Amino acid sequence: MKKILGMKRILSLCLAALLLLVYLPVTSAADEKVITIHYQRSDGAYDEWNIWSWADAEGSGYQFTEKDAFGMIATVTIDTEMTRIGFLLRRSTSDNDWAEKEFGDRFVDLTLGSEIWVISGREEFLYEAPEGYADVVQFTNLEIIVHRDRYDGRLAEEEMRLSLNGEDIPVRKSGSEYRAVLNNVNSVQKPVITFIIDGKETAFEMSISKAEPGIAYRVYSGLGKGFLAGAEKDLGKEKMVKSAEVTGIDEINVRLSYPTTLVPEGFTAIGGDSDYSDLEPGYATSFILKTDEPIDLNTTYTVEFDGYTPLSATVGNKYFSSEGFEDMYTYDGELGAIYTKDKTTFKLWSPVVQAARVNLYPDGGKSELLEAIEMTSAGKGVWVAEVNRDLKNIYYTYTVTNNGEESEAIDPYARAAGVNGKRGMVVNLSDTNPEGWENDVSPPFENPTDAVIYELHVRDLSTAESSGIVNKGKYLAFTEEGTKSPGGLSTGIDHIVELGITHVHLLPVFDFRSIDESKLNENKFNWGYDPENYNLPEGSFSTDPYDGNVRINEFKQMVQSMHKNGLRVVMDVVYNHTGATANSNLNLLVPNYYYRFTSAGNFSDGSGCGNETASERSMMRKLIIDSVIYWATEYNIDGFRFDLMGIHDIETMNLVRAALDEIDPTILLYGEGWSGGTVQLPRDQQALKVNTPKLDERFAVFSDDMRDGIKGGVFDHQQPGFVSGDYSRREDVAFGIAASVFHPQIDYTRITNPDSENRPWAKAPSQTVNYVSAHDNLTLYDKFKASRPDLGETEWLEMNKMAALLVLTSQGIPFFQAGEEFARSKFGNSNSYESSDAINQLDWNRKTNYNDLYEYYRGLIALRKAQPSFRLQTADEIAESITFMDVEAQVIAYTLKADETLFVAVNADDSERTVTLPVSGWDILVDGQRAGTSAIGRVDGNTLTMPARTGYVLLQRDGAELAAPSDTSTEAESDSEDEQDSGRAWWPFALGGAILILAGAAVPMFVKRR
């Protein structure tokens, strides 16, 4: 008997394990695809041109690596099963990766082919090779002359052979020269000439795609790699120190142009590496020189080898990441111009320079120097100068000397500045406070999910004539109350308050580069994602950018006005890169420290803007944390949105949260969980969306799953989403409704965005920002027009309402772009970062023209604020409270049982659909026309018929009881096989049942045999 019972237990465990396997999500790795892009320019000037391509939300740069008879070739590899990728052709200079673009976004339809041919000046590209494109390389006579040399002087009698695509070519030797003649070559495209010395095939290889008679290939024996040279002078035999970088607390990495065995006096050489094999032992071109004492960064070191041109050592980027550097130079004190009436203390952190001074000026423009004051080194890399008199409103810069070269720049910690932010200003901040500032307090706010965020550019609020606002494009526009549109409706701050917003998210308002503040009459526009000074307001939004006090005072007036009107203020911060790169203020004062570099020694460009900052380094981390603390305390800022947060490291973001908690735990924090390109930081350390669980629960990221699920991909204007007809995106929408946390009914294998890795990426609803439109990409209205041109405005507005309903009734934090509530249009412009005010401004006439839509948004916001059920606080509450209905593919519906029982449904179909309700007896709070907190109708039965493209929110009346989830079903059957397939997965239940049936039969038989 014991044996039988034991076997039953074993069988039960096996069945349980099998059932567990049945219910586990199934994932499969996507096939890797390689896309080949050919590019032809009639001028042959390819040097600065490259490809920017994106397979989804993130993009990367790709260089042209090969050449053929048509032109240059680049390859793009993606690990996705997507059928489209986007690309741009751009020209990148040393200062600007986006110096020039050829046309706009273009898309490769991978169902038509994975190889394309692009011809400069033509927007259309080809999926087949153009006529005349050679599939072979042909030439009748080509002479190859190989000049050989050895850096160690031993030109031995090695055997040299040449081969063409693996077949030997006859070689004729004459002294140190080898000659080979290729006759009547008719080869496959891109033939390869290989140089083989003493049987070693590690020699130089070069593709020949455009044969030129008499060309000479010159290589060094045993080189392993070589180059093409047309003259003796190009052989590069001059003896020089090519580079000398401090890479450790006591080491300098040296590279020479010519191998040697010599070691400079006073150093010990370790390693010893060479590009050249087969050299005499001891010869090398690369040495690590160890010093006897720690290297003093304020001292210039010159590396000299006997007979070689010397070179001064620079501080290599690797050194800044070393533990020794962090220990010696991390400083936790106050930096910048520290003002009192009696004296001002200037503190600059710059451990790599040999001298520093403060320059004083009477104004922030181009006036002559008043005085230069030498600074002294105070340890930890800090330079200090004290001026014992009142310097209020005096402007200043720093000049540093690095390896004999002087650079002048503004203080990274400057709190005020003159025109265009080129000179800092010594400021008495108490003098900049508007009347009553000491009584300014933020409006009450408790949980992150209570927020309703409204994203707005300062100029957009007021520049249109229809705004009725006097201070157009200025901070002061936010202080004007009672403004009206030509239709007599509220505009400006009154409109925002009337709408029910809790947080106004301002696009960058720190000082940025792209607007010339001395030419404000030109009304230039820019979003401002090109930082110049992190700790002072942008001057073009003030009435006087020349006086550093004015912009601070008017910024504070703006904040004060919003607080008085019940609005909290969020700043869009861009610490991930700077507007300038090599000549940025940060890089001029501390060369190479604040940035990440590639293995090739170039500025890494994870931002797509020329550089990326190194947040993991202690003093860049300090700059970020000090900056947000300053804005939160001096300006009473209530939240921060981090641009391209995937460039930052997770530890820094969590330290930002901890620092702000010391000031006010209700300060809102969120950011973009992606980057603009390849980031030089391990992926598991990046503050990416998939790493959100490593962030504090009160640090949120944007849900591009919800965004693209509702309206379609942002990089493909024609691609629809769930509400516009692509019902396969329904799971993405359900994922967003559940705030990206775990929910037992979500099929994560059907999440579209590969960046989400088919798993929940948030651990609490406070970590998810749900949205459908923001400043970049098409506005929501323009997206619907582009993706459904077959429909008309009535249908586009219906889609707009469905999108708003889904976002504003979802768990998490809702966010939308200013003007979305009255069908904002940028006339199809998807990247309006420097377009005119006419494109970017809010047209307040649209509030009159689309008032029905505006009132719908207003009602949805009021409903969300009135219903705690839409603002749940934990993942467990969401899993327990939301039950998704088994409905048709065109419909998404769920019950929400928390404080009260609600039913939410959206019918995205172009015909009416009927759903069965779990019980009878509901009040209608939202339908396709109206939204609010009061009942606008009743559903007395247990079915709800929804017209085409409508959404509903129902509130269960007292007395009805909610049925079990399994009792819910749809009235109408699916119209197509696709609709049936896109319903919630049925096969795990069927298979599990079959297994149980078989198991029931198997157990008695098994026992009987025992």
Side-chain angles (χ1 to χ4, degrees), residues 257-458:
S257 65
Y258 200 92
T260 185
T261 57
L262 303 171
V263 177
E265 213 173 297
F267 292 91
T268 302
I270 62 173
D273 184 24
S274 177
D275 289 333
Y276 316 106
S277 58
D278 297 337
L279 288 176
E280 185 76 18
Y283 278 83
T285 51
S286 177
F287 297 92
I288 296 176
L289 301 179
K290 299 288 287 185
T291 61
D292 296 333
E293 299 290 335
I295 291 170
D296 180 0
L297 295 184
N298 299 142
T299 300
T300 300
Y301 290 79
T302 300
V303 178
E304 296 182 349
F305 284 73
D306 190 21
Y308 287 71
T309 303
L311 185 70
S312 295
T314 59
V315 179
N317 190 261
K318 290 181 181 178
Y319 180 40
F320 294 134
S321 299
S322 69
E323 186 176 340
F325 179 86
E326 294 284 281
D327 290 344
M328 288 186 67
Y329 294 108
T330 297
Y331 176 72
D332 61 4
E334 189 174 4
L335 293 170
I338 305 162
Y339 170 81
T340 67
K341 185 175 178 61
D342 297 326
K343 74 174 182 179
T344 296
T345 303
F346 297 93
K347 286 188 175 183
L348 166 68
W349 182 81
S350 184
V352 301
V353 300
Q354 292 77 56
R357 67 175 181 266
V358 180
N359 310 299
L360 302 182
Y361 297 94
D363 60 51
K366 297 181 179 179
S367 58
E368 295 296 318
L369 180 70
L370 285 176
E371 184 181 359
I373 302 158
E374 294 298 321
M375 306 181 81
T376 58
S377 177
K380 292 287 186 180
V382 176
W383 298 84
V384 178
E386 286 189 357
V387 180
N388 294 306
R389 62 180 186 273
D390 190 352
L391 290 184
K392 187 176 77 170
N393 299 339
I394 291 293
Y395 292 80
Y396 73 102
T397 61
Y398 295 129
T399 295
V400 295
T401 303
N402 185 36
N403 287 332
E405 294 186 6
E406 288 191 343
S407 299
E408 184 178 6
I410 189 174
D411 181 2
Y413 277 81
R415 293 167 174 83
V419 66
N420 287 323
K422 298 303 180 186
R423 293 174 178 173
M425 190 188 84
V426 180
V427 61
N428 182 356
L429 287 166
S430 62
D431 288 348
T432 67
N433 294 340
E435 184 179 351
W437 180 251
E438 66 278 4
N439 299 318
D440 179 70
V441 292
S442 300
F445 181 70
E446 188 172 351
N447 299 310
T449 54
D450 294 337
V452 179
I453 305 172
Y454 192 72
E455 185 203 45
L456 179 64
H457 188 280
V458 168

Side-chain angles (χ1 to χ4, degrees), residues 518-535:
S518 68
K519 300 177 180 178
L520 294 185
N521 59 313
E522 296 179 0
N523 287 329
K524 292 290 185 181
F525 180 94
N526 202 283
W527 284 340
Y529 291 95
D530 53 340
E532 178 79 1
N533 294 292
Y534 285 127
N535 294 306

Side-chain angles (χ1 to χ4, degrees), residues 168-211:
D168 280 359
I169 307 167
V171 176
R172 185 173 70 253
K173 182 181 178 184
S174 175
S176 64
E177 208 173 75
Y178 290 79
R179 291 175 180 266
V181 178
L182 304 181
N183 292 308
N184 300 317
V185 174
N186 185 359
S187 171
V188 295
Q189 195 175 329
K190 295 181 288 188
V192 175
I193 304 293
T194 305
F195 298 84
I196 307 167
I197 300 173
D198 279 345
K200 296 180 180 178
E201 297 191 13
T202 56
F204 170 54
E205 297 186 356
M206 174 160 289
S207 299
I208 301 175
S209 56
K210 186 177 181 182

Side-chain angles (χ1 to χ4, degrees), residues 608-667:
C609 301
N611 60 79
E612 66 184 74
T613 55
S615 60
E616 72 280 8
R617 291 180 175 164
S618 60
M619 296 305 287
M620 183 65 213
R621 177 178 286 166
K622 174 179 169 61
L623 179 61
I624 294 171
I625 295 172
D626 286 351
S627 183
V628 295
I629 289 173
Y630 176 68
W631 285 105
T633 53
E634 183 61 35
Y635 290 92
N636 298 345
I637 293 297
D638 307 294
F640 299 91
R641 175 268 196 190
F642 283 77
D643 179 68
L644 297 179
M645 192 170 69
I647 294 174
H648 295 314
D649 69 289
I650 293 166
E651 183 179 354
T652 296
M653 295 298 94
N654 283 331
L655 288 171
V656 166
R657 177 73 270 175
L660 292 175
D661 282 348
E662 294 292 320
I663 301 165
D664 179 2
T666 69
I667 290 174

